Amino acid sequence: MKRTVTSVFVGIMALLLLVTGFGCGKKAAPKIAVMLPETGSGISEETAAAVEEALFAVSGNDAVEYLFRQSSDAAEQLAFIDMAKGWRALAVVIVPTEGADTEEMKKIAEEKNITLYLAGFESVESTLAQAGEEAGKFAVGELVKVKQPSCLALVSDENAEAYNAFETTAGSLDCIRIDAEADREAAREAVSKWLADHDKDTVAAVAAVFADSDEAALGAMDAFNEYDRKTGLRLVVGIGGRLFDYTAHELDGIKVASVAAAEAEDSIFAAIQLACQKALGGDAVELENINLLIRKK
């Protein structure tokens, strides 16, 4: 059965040394290009603003230059691929406008030898179950040397499918389920209560947090950041593909990852992260080749 893409993104620390600039010994920053339809044509003001924030984050955290445009004209979207190539972008993300010829987009990208990610289409498509499975594999691999690790698992009603797949895949971890809404503050409160209700040895055994949404993962990180005792936390894995939001968090000394579950508008952010992966030297992402990159705070 052909698998769709689920990607865990993490920027390798060495790659963070790349900086924008000119002069002896400095490398030019890798480039990506992103085009959305115009605001109001299937793209809300909030989404457009969030995309710009995400792009600004990668320009700072990952030293990736970006070109950002919006157009609901199908011809302009096709021309954008050529523009991106002329600008020397290594990857381009397009959210196709209504009536856009996506097959022609793919053809032009192939001719120009530039990697194209169409948000909402097969190049970034994945299900919650697939995302949960990949998160489980990733967590087990990261904690293989930890003796009897526990994992706090934040589970919401709407995303329980991701947790079920995670629990099945990460069978070697002692999963401690915490029911909470897929919301940052709700997750923070739930994890804070759990930490307060358990002794230091139980808390110290928690090596990982799994959250079935990026918002819940951020809430869990908030709770651990506020906790005033030593913990054994090494890893936080969320579902959604918005790792950009993780990178500014104050919780240091852990690995963080977000598995791209590309559904609805979240596919835009998943596609941007795939493009950054490509620009930073990752292998081309294919439907049957899931690539894992690791960001360590």
Side-chain angles (χ1 to χ4, degrees):
M1 179 178 179
K2 192 172 185 180
R3 301 186 64 174
T4 52
V5 169
T6 303
S7 293
V8 175
F9 289 84
V10 186
I12 301 174
M13 287 298 288
L15 295 175
L16 298 181
L17 297 177
L18 290 173
V19 294
T20 307
F22 302 91
C24 183
K26 290 187 177 181
K27 295 182 180 180
K31 299 175 180 180
I32 66 169
V34 178
M35 172 167 276
L36 307 183
E38 293 174 1
T39 303
S41 300
I43 296 292
S44 67
E45 289 185 11
E46 293 79 6
T47 297
V51 167
E52 285 201 83
E53 286 181 13
L55 290 169
F56 182 77
V58 299
S59 70
N61 289 311
D62 294 327
V64 174
E65 285 191 52
Y66 65 89
L67 175 68
F68 178 56
R69 296 285 187 274
Q70 287 185 257
S71 175
S72 295
D73 183 278
E76 287 184 9
Q77 288 201 332
L78 282 174
F80 184 68
I81 300 173
D82 190 54
M83 180 191 298
K85 182 65 177 181
W87 187 61
R88 297 185 179 180
L90 297 174
V92 59
V93 174
I94 296 179
V95 179
T97 191
E98 185 176 354
D101 189 341
T102 56
E103 291 303 317
E104 184 65 17
M105 287 182 179
K106 294 176 184 178
K107 180 180 177 181
I108 292 174
E110 185 175 0
E111 291 173 351
K112 299 294 182 181
N113 193 30
I114 186 170
T115 302
L116 171 67
Y117 297 106
L118 298 175
F121 288 77
E122 68 274 8
S123 57
V124 293
E125 181 183 346
S126 66
T127 67
L128 283 170
Q130 288 170 324
E133 180 182 349
E134 291 307 319
K137 291 177 182 178
F138 182 68
V140 169
E142 287 297 310
L143 302 176
V144 67
K145 295 183 179 180
V146 180
K147 186 177 181 180
Q148 297 180 326
S150 296
C151 175
L152 292 187
L154 290 159
V155 186
S156 63
D157 290 339
E158 59 265 40
N159 295 336
E161 183 181 357
Y163 169 69
N164 293 336
F166 175 85
E167 184 183 33
T168 299
T169 307
S172 61
L173 305 182
D174 177 18
C175 289
I176 302 168
R177 175 170 175 158
I178 300 176
D179 292 310
E181 295 179 14
D183 172 81
R184 184 168 185 166
E185 182 58 23
R188 186 196 67 79
E189 291 179 358
V191 174
S192 292
K193 183 178 186 307
W194 187 92
L195 291 170
D197 289 346
H198 291 81
D199 61 64
K200 63 179 183 179
D201 292 335
T202 303
V203 172
V206 175
V209 169
F210 166 78
D212 64 12
S213 72
D214 287 331
E215 283 295 303
L218 287 165
M221 293 168 75
D222 290 339
F224 272 90
N225 193 53
E226 295 166 2
Y227 187 65
D228 59 3
R229 293 182 180 179
K230 185 178 179 179
T231 74
L233 186 64
R234 298 181 176 213
L235 177 70
V236 175
V237 182
I239 300 293
R242 299 182 68 151
L243 185 63
F244 309 114
D245 294 335
Y246 291 39
T247 56
H249 203 283
E250 296 178 357
L251 190 61
D252 292 327
I254 62 168
K255 289 186 178 182
V256 293
S258 180
V259 183
E263 299 178 350
E265 67 180 23
D266 278 345
S267 65
I268 301 171
F269 302 97
I272 290 171
Q273 293 202 123
L274 287 168
C276 288
Q277 175 184 345
K278 174 64 178 177
L280 289 166
D283 295 333
V285 177
E286 298 178 358
L287 296 184
E288 295 181 353
N289 180 23
I290 296 167
N291 295 274
L292 304 180
L293 295 179
I294 302 170
R295 176 186 296 283
K296 185 174 182 179
K297 283 281 291 180

